Amino acid sequence: DEKTSLIQERIASLLEKRPRDFDSDIFTQMQHFLVMCNEEFKGAREYGHMSRIIYVFYLFRKAIQQQIESFPGVRHVTLKLCKPKLHLPLGIKRVLGVFIGINFLNDNEVFEERHLINAIKAYFPNITVVSDSNFVTSLREDRIQLLYLEFEKLDGEEFSLSEMKVLKERLAEDLKNGVERLMRPLFMPRNEEEVMRNIITLAQQLRYPRD
């Protein structure tokens, strides 16, 4: 509850200090985050980092929407890396946090955690995904997918600045080519996770009785 209050204060402060960048609809993004993240996720992460996830997703969505208006029919990718601290039972651990924003050009395109994992493992095979660290927002009406995921090395070492620089320079282009296109006979929910994701997406789209 204390972290939730601090997150709300941080978001309200951003809205007050940067009205050109943020509008009141950022609170919708905040509520979505607070509802979708489990207690383990919130407990291991500082409120400042969780606030970052909320406003980065908001800025990514806004930026991609503007890019689509300026350059329609083009794949746009936004990327941000960070090194958040996880407060775990055995101590504090720094991991690699990856924010991705990407737009779809067709309705049968998908981009999921596995695509991001494969792209990063091409550079660093000795990594693994931090358990339950993913957060996804699908804006199907705008054909935009926003994704956050954390990684750690199997040997426990931190990601260096040079390694992060490599990802900053190359990963976005790899992800543009990594979007999967489903064949029409397969264009249907494939598992329970996909079904739940579609339900959440639909819930975001249904806002008024006429919908």
Side-chain angles (χ1 to χ4, degrees):
D1 291 342
E2 181 180 0
K3 283 187 177 181
T4 297
S5 297
L6 291 170
I7 290 171
Q8 293 171 341
E9 290 177 10
R10 175 67 65 87
I11 298 302
S13 176
L14 279 174
L15 186 61
E16 181 180 352
K17 293 178 179 178
R18 298 171 57 183
R20 291 186 178 182
D21 297 325
F22 299 98
D23 203 344
S24 58
D25 58 347
I26 191 175
F27 289 109
T28 302
Q29 177 69 47
M30 181 188 71
Q31 290 298 329
H32 174 64
F33 173 83
L34 294 175
V35 169
M36 294 306 301
C37 290
N38 58 39
E39 295 305 314
E40 289 76 14
F41 184 98
K42 298 173 186 174
R45 290 156 185 84
E46 298 176 350
Y47 81 91
H49 178 58
M50 290 189 285
S51 301
R52 182 191 294 122
I53 295 175
I54 295 168
Y55 68 71
V56 167
F57 268 38
Y58 181 88
L59 292 175
F60 272 21
R61 184 195 69 187
K62 189 175 179 180
I64 293 178
Q65 286 173 333
Q66 292 174 348
Q67 291 170 346
I68 292 173
E69 291 179 3
S70 301
F71 304 99
V74 177
R75 180 91 65 207
H76 302 285
V77 175
T78 52
L79 169 69
K80 181 178 177 63
L81 306 178
C82 64
K83 291 177 66 176
K85 290 188 292 186
L86 302 186
H87 295 262
L88 304 173
L90 297 179
I92 296 176
K93 177 190 294 186
R94 279 199 177 273
V95 296
L96 175 67
V98 182
F99 294 89
I100 297 296
I102 192 166
N103 68 306
F104 297 127
L105 303 180
N106 298 285
D107 290 336
N108 63 331
E109 291 183 335
V110 294
F111 184 86
E112 300 173 339
E113 293 91 337
R114 56 191 172 89
H115 300 103
L116 176 57
I117 294 169
N118 291 336
I120 294 183
K121 278 194 171 183
Y123 295 97
F124 307 109
N126 65 326
I127 63 166
T128 184
V129 177
V130 176
S131 178
D132 295 325
S133 66
N134 64 310
F135 181 70
V136 180
T137 296
S138 298
L139 305 168
R140 278 293 173 179
E141 67 273 21
D142 296 324
R143 290 182 174 178
I144 295 174
Q145 179 93 327
L146 306 173
L147 188 151
Y148 173 77
L149 197 59
E150 293 171 351
F151 298 86
E152 59 181 331
K153 292 184 179 180
L154 294 174
D155 58 13
E157 294 292 323
E158 290 187 19
F159 284 85
S160 66
L161 292 178
S162 61
E163 289 172 331
M164 294 179 69
K165 182 180 180 182
V166 169
L167 292 177
K168 286 181 180 179
E169 293 175 348
R170 304 178 185 178
L171 187 59
E173 194 63 33
D174 292 343
L175 297 179
K176 284 184 180 181
N177 301 320
V179 175
E180 182 180 357
R181 178 173 294 183
L182 300 178
M183 299 300 292
R184 191 56 68 173
L186 302 178
F187 192 37
M188 57 187 297
R190 292 157 291 162
N191 51 47
E192 292 183 6
E193 182 180 354
E194 187 73 17
V195 172
M196 289 303 300
R197 186 176 297 132
N198 289 336
I199 290 173
I200 293 168
T201 300
L202 183 61
Q204 293 175 333
Q205 296 172 346
L206 298 178
R207 300 179 180 177
Y208 306 100
R210 65 174 180 272
D211 293 340

mmCIF file of all heavy atoms in Angstrom, residues 102-145:
data_model
loop_
_atom_site.group_PDB
_atom_site.id
_atom_site.type_symbol
_atom_site.label_atom_id
_atom_site.label_comp_id
_atom_site.label_asym_id
_atom_site.label_seq_id
_atom_site.Cartn_x
_atom_site.Cartn_y
_atom_site.Cartn_z
ATOM 1 N N ILE A 102 6.606 -1.383 -30.190
ATOM 2 C CA ILE A 102 6.652 -1.743 -31.605
ATOM 3 C C ILE A 102 5.246 -1.682 -32.196
ATOM 4 O O ILE A 102 4.266 -1.942 -31.495
ATOM 5 C CB ILE A 102 7.271 -3.156 -31.790
ATOM 6 C CG1 ILE A 102 7.608 -3.438 -33.237
ATOM 7 C CG2 ILE A 102 6.358 -4.234 -31.209
ATOM 8 C CD1 ILE A 102 8.512 -4.660 -33.414
ATOM 9 N N ASN A 103 5.145 -1.313 -33.458
ATOM 10 C CA ASN A 103 3.838 -1.270 -34.109
ATOM 11 C C ASN A 103 3.718 -2.416 -35.111
ATOM 12 O O ASN A 103 4.709 -2.898 -35.659
ATOM 13 C CB ASN A 103 3.613 0.069 -34.817
ATOM 14 C CG ASN A 103 4.522 0.250 -36.021
ATOM 15 O OD1 ASN A 103 5.744 0.127 -35.914
ATOM 16 N ND2 ASN A 103 3.935 0.561 -37.172
ATOM 17 N N PHE A 104 2.486 -2.850 -35.313
ATOM 18 C CA PHE A 104 2.198 -3.911 -36.277
ATOM 19 C C PHE A 104 1.681 -3.289 -37.564
ATOM 20 O O PHE A 104 0.938 -2.302 -37.551
ATOM 21 C CB PHE A 104 1.158 -4.882 -35.725
ATOM 22 C CG PHE A 104 1.615 -5.613 -34.484
ATOM 23 C CD1 PHE A 104 0.841 -5.617 -33.331
ATOM 24 C CD2 PHE A 104 2.812 -6.297 -34.475
ATOM 25 C CE1 PHE A 104 1.259 -6.287 -32.198
ATOM 26 C CE2 PHE A 104 3.236 -6.977 -33.338
ATOM 27 C CZ PHE A 104 2.464 -6.970 -32.199
ATOM 28 N N LEU A 105 2.059 -3.901 -38.680
ATOM 29 C CA LEU A 105 1.599 -3.421 -39.978
ATOM 30 C C LEU A 105 0.397 -4.205 -40.484
ATOM 31 O O LEU A 105 -0.322 -3.738 -41.362
ATOM 32 C CB LEU A 105 2.740 -3.510 -40.996
ATOM 33 C CG LEU A 105 4.017 -2.742 -40.624
ATOM 34 C CD1 LEU A 105 5.069 -2.906 -41.718
ATOM 35 C CD2 LEU A 105 3.719 -1.270 -40.381
ATOM 36 N N ASN A 106 0.185 -5.412 -39.897
ATOM 37 C CA ASN A 106 -0.944 -6.257 -40.293
ATOM 38 C C ASN A 106 -1.566 -6.883 -39.048
ATOM 39 O O ASN A 106 -0.907 -7.026 -38.018
ATOM 40 C CB ASN A 106 -0.485 -7.370 -41.252
ATOM 41 C CG ASN A 106 0.095 -6.811 -42.538
ATOM 42 O OD1 ASN A 106 -0.631 -6.332 -43.405
ATOM 43 N ND2 ASN A 106 1.413 -6.872 -42.678
ATOM 44 N N ASP A 107 -2.830 -7.285 -39.178
ATOM 45 C CA ASP A 107 -3.548 -7.840 -38.036
ATOM 46 C C ASP A 107 -3.024 -9.201 -37.606
ATOM 47 O O ASP A 107 -3.244 -9.612 -36.467
ATOM 48 C CB ASP A 107 -5.042 -7.958 -38.366
ATOM 49 C CG ASP A 107 -5.724 -6.604 -38.458
ATOM 50 O OD1 ASP A 107 -5.213 -5.647 -37.847
ATOM 51 O OD2 ASP A 107 -6.759 -6.499 -39.145
ATOM 52 N N ASN A 108 -2.353 -9.914 -38.496
ATOM 53 C CA ASN A 108 -1.895 -11.262 -38.152
ATOM 54 C C ASN A 108 -0.454 -11.290 -37.670
ATOM 55 O O ASN A 108 0.170 -12.350 -37.631
ATOM 56 C CB ASN A 108 -2.054 -12.197 -39.360
ATOM 57 C CG ASN A 108 -1.183 -11.769 -40.537
ATOM 58 O OD1 ASN A 108 -0.882 -10.583 -40.707
ATOM 59 N ND2 ASN A 108 -0.804 -12.724 -41.357
ATOM 60 N N GLU A 109 0.088 -10.131 -37.263
ATOM 61 C CA GLU A 109 1.448 -10.068 -36.747
ATOM 62 C C GLU A 109 1.457 -10.188 -35.221
ATOM 63 O O GLU A 109 0.536 -9.708 -34.547
ATOM 64 C CB GLU A 109 2.129 -8.769 -37.163
ATOM 65 C CG GLU A 109 2.427 -8.688 -38.652
ATOM 66 C CD GLU A 109 3.154 -7.420 -39.026
ATOM 67 O OE1 GLU A 109 3.019 -6.412 -38.297
ATOM 68 O OE2 GLU A 109 3.856 -7.414 -40.058
ATOM 69 N N VAL A 110 2.496 -10.811 -34.686
ATOM 70 C CA VAL A 110 2.648 -10.936 -33.236
ATOM 71 C C VAL A 110 4.093 -10.662 -32.858
ATOM 72 O O VAL A 110 5.024 -10.938 -33.620
ATOM 73 C CB VAL A 110 2.230 -12.336 -32.723
ATOM 74 C CG1 VAL A 110 0.758 -12.580 -32.922
ATOM 75 C CG2 VAL A 110 3.052 -13.433 -33.387
ATOM 76 N N PHE A 111 4.252 -10.110 -31.651
ATOM 77 C CA PHE A 111 5.581 -9.938 -31.074
ATOM 78 C C PHE A 111 5.427 -10.169 -29.584
ATOM 79 O O PHE A 111 4.720 -9.438 -28.903
ATOM 80 C CB PHE A 111 6.132 -8.539 -31.338
ATOM 81 C CG PHE A 111 7.540 -8.362 -30.832
ATOM 82 C CD1 PHE A 111 8.618 -8.726 -31.610
ATOM 83 C CD2 PHE A 111 7.781 -7.854 -29.563
ATOM 84 C CE1 PHE A 111 9.917 -8.587 -31.141
ATOM 85 C CE2 PHE A 111 9.062 -7.713 -29.084
ATOM 86 C CZ PHE A 111 10.141 -8.074 -29.869
ATOM 87 N N GLU A 112 6.087 -11.223 -29.087
ATOM 88 C CA GLU A 112 5.907 -11.638 -27.705
ATOM 89 C C GLU A 112 7.253 -11.717 -26.996
ATOM 90 O O GLU A 112 8.301 -11.432 -27.581
ATOM 91 C CB GLU A 112 5.197 -12.994 -27.660
ATOM 92 C CG GLU A 112 3.811 -12.965 -28.311
ATOM 93 C CD GLU A 112 3.180 -14.336 -28.411
ATOM 94 O OE1 GLU A 112 3.925 -15.345 -28.367
ATOM 95 O OE2 GLU A 112 1.952 -14.411 -28.545
ATOM 96 N N GLU A 113 7.193 -12.141 -25.738
ATOM 97 C CA GLU A 113 8.418 -12.243 -24.941
ATOM 98 C C GLU A 113 9.455 -13.145 -25.611
ATOM 99 O O GLU A 113 10.652 -12.839 -25.590
ATOM 100 C CB GLU A 113 8.098 -12.791 -23.551
ATOM 101 C CG GLU A 113 7.260 -11.865 -22.683
ATOM 102 C CD GLU A 113 5.767 -12.117 -22.836
ATOM 103 O OE1 GLU A 113 5.366 -12.672 -23.890
ATOM 104 O OE2 GLU A 113 5.008 -11.774 -21.915
ATOM 105 N N ARG A 114 9.008 -14.234 -26.225
ATOM 106 C CA ARG A 114 9.956 -15.182 -26.821
ATOM 107 C C ARG A 114 10.752 -14.544 -27.958
ATOM 108 O O ARG A 114 11.922 -14.907 -28.175
ATOM 109 C CB ARG A 114 9.220 -16.433 -27.313
ATOM 110 C CG ARG A 114 8.100 -16.141 -28.305
ATOM 111 C CD ARG A 114 7.237 -17.382 -28.557
ATOM 112 N NE ARG A 114 6.066 -17.080 -29.351
ATOM 113 C CZ ARG A 114 6.038 -17.115 -30.676
ATOM 114 N NH1 ARG A 114 7.138 -17.469 -31.335
ATOM 115 N NH2 ARG A 114 4.939 -16.830 -31.335
ATOM 116 N N HIS A 115 10.151 -13.615 -28.675
ATOM 117 C CA HIS A 115 10.870 -12.951 -29.757
ATOM 118 C C HIS A 115 11.976 -12.053 -29.201
ATOM 119 O O HIS A 115 13.089 -12.010 -29.740
ATOM 120 C CB HIS A 115 9.898 -12.128 -30.604
ATOM 121 C CG HIS A 115 8.809 -12.935 -31.233
ATOM 122 N ND1 HIS A 115 7.524 -12.955 -30.769
ATOM 123 C CD2 HIS A 115 8.827 -13.777 -32.302
ATOM 124 C CE1 HIS A 115 6.781 -13.751 -31.519
ATOM 125 N NE2 HIS A 115 7.549 -14.269 -32.454
ATOM 126 N N LEU A 116 11.671 -11.345 -28.119
ATOM 127 C CA LEU A 116 12.685 -10.505 -27.486
ATOM 128 C C LEU A 116 13.799 -11.363 -26.882
ATOM 129 O O LEU A 116 14.986 -11.032 -27.005
ATOM 130 C CB LEU A 116 12.036 -9.631 -26.415
ATOM 131 C CG LEU A 116 12.985 -8.752 -25.587
ATOM 132 C CD1 LEU A 116 13.797 -7.827 -26.482
ATOM 133 C CD2 LEU A 116 12.192 -7.948 -24.556
ATOM 134 N N ILE A 117 13.426 -12.453 -26.237
ATOM 135 C CA ILE A 117 14.418 -13.343 -25.622
ATOM 136 C C ILE A 117 15.380 -13.880 -26.677
ATOM 137 O O ILE A 117 16.612 -13.865 -26.497
ATOM 138 C CB ILE A 117 13.712 -14.504 -24.892
ATOM 139 C CG1 ILE A 117 12.924 -13.969 -23.697
ATOM 140 C CG2 ILE A 117 14.725 -15.554 -24.432
ATOM 141 C CD1 ILE A 117 11.996 -14.992 -23.072
ATOM 142 N N ASN A 118 14.848 -14.342 -27.794
ATOM 143 C CA ASN A 118 15.698 -14.892 -28.849
ATOM 144 C C ASN A 118 16.635 -13.836 -29.419
ATOM 145 O O ASN A 118 17.796 -14.127 -29.741
ATOM 146 C CB ASN A 118 14.835 -15.487 -29.966
ATOM 147 C CG ASN A 118 14.099 -16.744 -29.541
ATOM 148 O OD1 ASN A 118 14.529 -17.428 -28.619
ATOM 149 N ND2 ASN A 118 12.998 -17.042 -30.195
ATOM 150 N N ALA A 119 16.125 -12.596 -29.545
ATOM 151 C CA ALA A 119 16.954 -11.524 -30.106
ATOM 152 C C ALA A 119 18.134 -11.210 -29.193
ATOM 153 O O ALA A 119 19.261 -11.013 -29.656
ATOM 154 C CB ALA A 119 16.103 -10.284 -30.340
ATOM 155 N N ILE A 120 17.903 -11.159 -27.890
ATOM 156 C CA ILE A 120 18.981 -10.831 -26.950
ATOM 157 C C ILE A 120 19.932 -12.011 -26.780
ATOM 158 O O ILE A 120 21.153 -11.831 -26.654
ATOM 159 C CB ILE A 120 18.389 -10.387 -25.602
ATOM 160 C CG1 ILE A 120 17.632 -9.066 -25.772
ATOM 161 C CG2 ILE A 120 19.487 -10.232 -24.550
ATOM 162 C CD1 ILE A 120 17.060 -8.495 -24.510
ATOM 163 N N LYS A 121 19.405 -13.231 -26.806
ATOM 164 C CA LYS A 121 20.276 -14.399 -26.670
ATOM 165 C C LYS A 121 21.221 -14.550 -27.856
ATOM 166 O O LYS A 121 22.240 -15.240 -27.748
ATOM 167 C CB LYS A 121 19.435 -15.659 -26.507
ATOM 168 C CG LYS A 121 18.943 -15.880 -25.086
ATOM 169 C CD LYS A 121 18.404 -17.284 -24.885
ATOM 170 C CE LYS A 121 18.119 -17.546 -23.411
ATOM 171 N NZ LYS A 121 17.668 -18.932 -23.160
ATOM 172 N N ALA A 122 20.896 -13.940 -28.975
ATOM 173 C CA ALA A 122 21.809 -13.970 -30.115
ATOM 174 C C ALA A 122 23.118 -13.257 -29.780
ATOM 175 O O ALA A 122 24.167 -13.581 -30.340
ATOM 176 C CB ALA A 122 21.146 -13.321 -31.332
ATOM 177 N N TYR A 123 23.064 -12.298 -28.859
ATOM 178 C CA TYR A 123 24.262 -11.565 -28.437
ATOM 179 C C TYR A 123 24.847 -12.137 -27.140
ATOM 180 O O TYR A 123 26.060 -12.171 -26.971
ATOM 181 C CB TYR A 123 23.924 -10.084 -28.233
ATOM 182 C CG TYR A 123 23.528 -9.378 -29.506
ATOM 183 C CD1 TYR A 123 22.185 -9.200 -29.827
ATOM 184 C CD2 TYR A 123 24.481 -8.902 -30.393
ATOM 185 C CE1 TYR A 123 21.807 -8.562 -30.994
ATOM 186 C CE2 TYR A 123 24.116 -8.255 -31.564
ATOM 187 C CZ TYR A 123 22.773 -8.088 -31.866
ATOM 188 O OH TYR A 123 22.399 -7.458 -33.034
ATOM 189 N N PHE A 124 23.974 -12.550 -26.237
ATOM 190 C CA PHE A 124 24.418 -13.043 -24.931
ATOM 191 C C PHE A 124 23.723 -14.370 -24.628
ATOM 192 O O PHE A 124 22.665 -14.391 -23.991
ATOM 193 C CB PHE A 124 24.113 -12.014 -23.839
ATOM 194 C CG PHE A 124 24.644 -10.644 -24.138
ATOM 195 C CD1 PHE A 124 23.780 -9.603 -24.455
ATOM 196 C CD2 PHE A 124 26.006 -10.393 -24.118
ATOM 197 C CE1 PHE A 124 24.267 -8.344 -24.743
ATOM 198 C CE2 PHE A 124 26.501 -9.136 -24.399
ATOM 199 C CZ PHE A 124 25.641 -8.109 -24.718
ATOM 200 N N PRO A 125 24.308 -15.481 -25.085
ATOM 201 C CA PRO A 125 23.660 -16.791 -24.886
ATOM 202 C C PRO A 125 23.548 -17.197 -23.418
ATOM 203 O O PRO A 125 22.701 -18.020 -23.075
ATOM 204 C CB PRO A 125 24.581 -17.755 -25.657
ATOM 205 C CG PRO A 125 25.379 -16.888 -26.581
ATOM 206 C CD PRO A 125 25.535 -15.573 -25.883
ATOM 207 N N ASN A 126 24.401 -16.627 -22.564
ATOM 208 C CA ASN A 126 24.442 -17.068 -21.152
ATOM 209 C C ASN A 126 23.507 -16.250 -20.270
ATOM 210 O O ASN A 126 23.847 -15.906 -19.141
ATOM 211 C CB ASN A 126 25.872 -16.966 -20.617
ATOM 212 C CG ASN A 126 26.367 -15.531 -20.560
ATOM 213 O OD1 ASN A 126 25.994 -14.725 -21.420
ATOM 214 N ND2 ASN A 126 27.187 -15.198 -19.575
ATOM 215 N N ILE A 127 22.326 -15.929 -20.776
ATOM 216 C CA ILE A 127 21.371 -15.164 -19.982
ATOM 217 C C ILE A 127 20.119 -15.986 -19.736
ATOM 218 O O ILE A 127 19.857 -16.982 -20.419
ATOM 219 C CB ILE A 127 20.972 -13.836 -20.678
ATOM 220 C CG1 ILE A 127 20.264 -14.126 -22.010
ATOM 221 C CG2 ILE A 127 22.164 -12.936 -20.862
ATOM 222 C CD1 ILE A 127 19.548 -12.929 -22.583
ATOM 223 N N THR A 128 19.346 -15.555 -18.769
ATOM 224 C CA THR A 128 18.043 -16.149 -18.508
ATOM 225 C C THR A 128 17.075 -15.030 -18.130
ATOM 226 O O THR A 128 17.490 -13.939 -17.738
ATOM 227 C CB THR A 128 18.128 -17.188 -17.371
ATOM 228 O OG1 THR A 128 16.852 -17.821 -17.215
ATOM 229 C CG2 THR A 128 18.523 -16.531 -16.059
ATOM 230 N N VAL A 129 15.807 -15.307 -18.263
ATOM 231 C CA VAL A 129 14.778 -14.314 -17.952
ATOM 232 C C VAL A 129 14.496 -14.341 -16.454
ATOM 233 O O VAL A 129 14.380 -15.407 -15.845
ATOM 234 C CB VAL A 129 13.482 -14.607 -18.735
ATOM 235 C CG1 VAL A 129 12.392 -13.613 -18.359
ATOM 236 C CG2 VAL A 129 13.760 -14.560 -20.225
ATOM 237 N N VAL A 130 14.395 -13.177 -15.850
ATOM 238 C CA VAL A 130 14.006 -13.089 -14.446
ATOM 239 C C VAL A 130 12.552 -13.548 -14.328
ATOM 240 O O VAL A 130 11.672 -13.064 -15.044
ATOM 241 C CB VAL A 130 14.157 -11.650 -13.914
ATOM 242 C CG1 VAL A 130 13.662 -11.554 -12.474
ATOM 243 C CG2 VAL A 130 15.617 -11.204 -14.011
ATOM 244 N N SER A 131 12.295 -14.464 -13.445
ATOM 245 C CA SER A 131 10.961 -15.054 -13.314
ATOM 246 C C SER A 131 9.896 -14.004 -13.026
ATOM 247 O O SER A 131 10.069 -13.131 -12.178
ATOM 248 C CB SER A 131 10.971 -16.098 -12.196
ATOM 249 O OG SER A 131 9.693 -16.660 -12.011
ATOM 250 N N ASP A 132 8.788 -14.073 -13.770
ATOM 251 C CA ASP A 132 7.624 -13.193 -13.575
ATOM 252 C C ASP A 132 7.996 -11.713 -13.663
ATOM 253 O O ASP A 132 7.449 -10.884 -12.932
ATOM 254 C CB ASP A 132 6.958 -13.473 -12.228
ATOM 255 C CG ASP A 132 6.359 -14.868 -12.150
ATOM 256 O OD1 ASP A 132 5.855 -15.339 -13.187
ATOM 257 O OD2 ASP A 132 6.408 -15.477 -11.074
ATOM 258 N N SER A 133 8.921 -11.374 -14.573
ATOM 259 C CA SER A 133 9.327 -9.973 -14.710
ATOM 260 C C SER A 133 8.684 -9.285 -15.902
ATOM 261 O O SER A 133 8.955 -8.117 -16.164
ATOM 262 C CB SER A 133 10.857 -9.887 -14.854
ATOM 263 O OG SER A 133 11.291 -10.476 -16.071
ATOM 264 N N ASN A 134 7.844 -10.004 -16.630
ATOM 265 C CA ASN A 134 7.282 -9.423 -17.844
ATOM 266 C C ASN A 134 6.048 -8.582 -17.543
ATOM 267 O O ASN A 134 5.256 -8.870 -16.651
ATOM 268 C CB ASN A 134 6.913 -10.525 -18.837
ATOM 269 C CG ASN A 134 5.824 -11.433 -18.306
ATOM 270 O OD1 ASN A 134 5.909 -11.927 -17.188
ATOM 271 N ND2 ASN A 134 4.798 -11.657 -19.111
ATOM 272 N N PHE A 135 5.908 -7.511 -18.317
ATOM 273 C CA PHE A 135 4.704 -6.682 -18.272
ATOM 274 C C PHE A 135 4.406 -6.262 -19.701
ATOM 275 O O PHE A 135 5.273 -5.720 -20.397
ATOM 276 C CB PHE A 135 4.911 -5.465 -17.376
ATOM 277 C CG PHE A 135 3.692 -4.590 -17.270
ATOM 278 C CD1 PHE A 135 2.572 -5.018 -16.592
ATOM 279 C CD2 PHE A 135 3.660 -3.339 -17.886
ATOM 280 C CE1 PHE A 135 1.435 -4.227 -16.511
ATOM 281 C CE2 PHE A 135 2.537 -2.536 -17.804
ATOM 282 C CZ PHE A 135 1.417 -2.981 -17.115
ATOM 283 N N VAL A 136 3.188 -6.509 -20.147
ATOM 284 C CA VAL A 136 2.825 -6.299 -21.542
ATOM 285 C C VAL A 136 1.543 -5.476 -21.627
ATOM 286 O O VAL A 136 0.605 -5.691 -20.865
ATOM 287 C CB VAL A 136 2.617 -7.639 -22.285
ATOM 288 C CG1 VAL A 136 2.238 -7.400 -23.737
ATOM 289 C CG2 VAL A 136 3.874 -8.494 -22.198
ATOM 290 N N THR A 137 1.528 -4.538 -22.559
ATOM 291 C CA THR A 137 0.310 -3.809 -22.883
ATOM 292 C C THR A 137 0.101 -3.886 -24.391
ATOM 293 O O THR A 137 0.966 -3.489 -25.159
ATOM 294 C CB THR A 137 0.395 -2.325 -22.469
ATOM 295 O OG1 THR A 137 0.522 -2.246 -21.040
ATOM 296 C CG2 THR A 137 -0.859 -1.569 -22.895
ATOM 297 N N SER A 138 -1.034 -4.444 -24.804
ATOM 298 C CA SER A 138 -1.361 -4.564 -26.221
ATOM 299 C C SER A 138 -2.436 -3.548 -26.573
ATOM 300 O O SER A 138 -3.513 -3.556 -25.987
ATOM 301 C CB SER A 138 -1.853 -5.977 -26.545
ATOM 302 O OG SER A 138 -0.856 -6.935 -26.281
ATOM 303 N N LEU A 139 -2.121 -2.675 -27.513
ATOM 304 C CA LEU A 139 -3.074 -1.672 -27.988
ATOM 305 C C LEU A 139 -3.464 -2.061 -29.407
ATOM 306 O O LEU A 139 -2.989 -1.493 -30.388
ATOM 307 C CB LEU A 139 -2.441 -0.278 -27.948
ATOM 308 C CG LEU A 139 -1.884 0.139 -26.574
ATOM 309 C CD1 LEU A 139 -1.029 1.386 -26.696
ATOM 310 C CD2 LEU A 139 -3.027 0.368 -25.585
ATOM 311 N N ARG A 140 -4.321 -3.070 -29.499
ATOM 312 C CA ARG A 140 -4.647 -3.636 -30.798
ATOM 313 C C ARG A 140 -5.362 -2.642 -31.710
ATOM 314 O O ARG A 140 -5.225 -2.697 -32.929
ATOM 315 C CB ARG A 140 -5.502 -4.899 -30.621
ATOM 316 C CG ARG A 140 -4.675 -6.149 -30.317
ATOM 317 C CD ARG A 140 -3.832 -6.529 -31.519
ATOM 318 N NE ARG A 140 -2.906 -7.626 -31.211
ATOM 319 C CZ ARG A 140 -2.080 -8.159 -32.086
ATOM 320 N NH1 ARG A 140 -2.033 -7.695 -33.310
ATOM 321 N NH2 ARG A 140 -1.260 -9.138 -31.738
ATOM 322 N N GLU A 141 -6.142 -1.734 -31.124
ATOM 323 C CA GLU A 141 -6.818 -0.763 -31.977
ATOM 324 C C GLU A 141 -5.821 0.151 -32.676
ATOM 325 O O GLU A 141 -6.083 0.653 -33.776
ATOM 326 C CB GLU A 141 -7.822 0.060 -31.162
ATOM 327 C CG GLU A 141 -7.193 0.984 -30.108
ATOM 328 C CD GLU A 141 -6.966 0.295 -28.784
ATOM 329 O OE1 GLU A 141 -6.901 -0.949 -28.766
ATOM 330 O OE2 GLU A 141 -6.840 0.997 -27.773
ATOM 331 N N ASP A 142 -4.656 0.360 -32.059
ATOM 332 C CA ASP A 142 -3.593 1.164 -32.666
ATOM 333 C C ASP A 142 -2.487 0.308 -33.257
ATOM 334 O O ASP A 142 -1.505 0.840 -33.767
ATOM 335 C CB ASP A 142 -2.984 2.112 -31.613
ATOM 336 C CG ASP A 142 -3.983 3.126 -31.089
ATOM 337 O OD1 ASP A 142 -4.824 3.577 -31.892
ATOM 338 O OD2 ASP A 142 -3.935 3.453 -29.890
ATOM 339 N N ARG A 143 -2.634 -1.015 -33.152
ATOM 340 C CA ARG A 143 -1.613 -1.953 -33.632
ATOM 341 C C ARG A 143 -0.251 -1.668 -32.978
ATOM 342 O O ARG A 143 0.773 -1.603 -33.663
ATOM 343 C CB ARG A 143 -1.490 -1.898 -35.152
ATOM 344 C CG ARG A 143 -2.674 -2.474 -35.906
ATOM 345 C CD ARG A 143 -2.444 -2.415 -37.387
ATOM 346 N NE ARG A 143 -3.498 -3.084 -38.144
ATOM 347 C CZ ARG A 143 -3.539 -3.132 -39.484
ATOM 348 N NH1 ARG A 143 -2.581 -2.567 -40.187
ATOM 349 N NH2 ARG A 143 -4.524 -3.754 -40.102
ATOM 350 N N ILE A 144 -0.258 -1.501 -31.673
ATOM 351 C CA ILE A 144 0.963 -1.210 -30.919
ATOM 352 C C ILE A 144 1.119 -2.230 -29.801
ATOM 353 O O ILE A 144 0.148 -2.561 -29.120
ATOM 354 C CB ILE A 144 0.928 0.217 -30.341
ATOM 355 C CG1 ILE A 144 0.920 1.262 -31.461
ATOM 356 C CG2 ILE A 144 2.127 0.458 -29.418
ATOM 357 C CD1 ILE A 144 0.749 2.685 -30.969
ATOM 358 N N GLN A 145 2.325 -2.717 -29.625
ATOM 359 C CA GLN A 145 2.643 -3.637 -28.537
ATOM 360 C C GLN A 145 3.754 -3.025 -27.680
ATOM 361 O O GLN A 145 4.791 -2.591 -28.192
ATOM 362 C CB GLN A 145 3.115 -4.983 -29.090
ATOM 363 C CG GLN A 145 3.484 -5.999 -28.043
ATOM 364 C CD GLN A 145 2.324 -6.909 -27.664
ATOM 365 O OE1 GLN A 145 1.179 -6.486 -27.667
ATOM 366 N NE2 GLN A 145 2.600 -8.158 -27.369
#
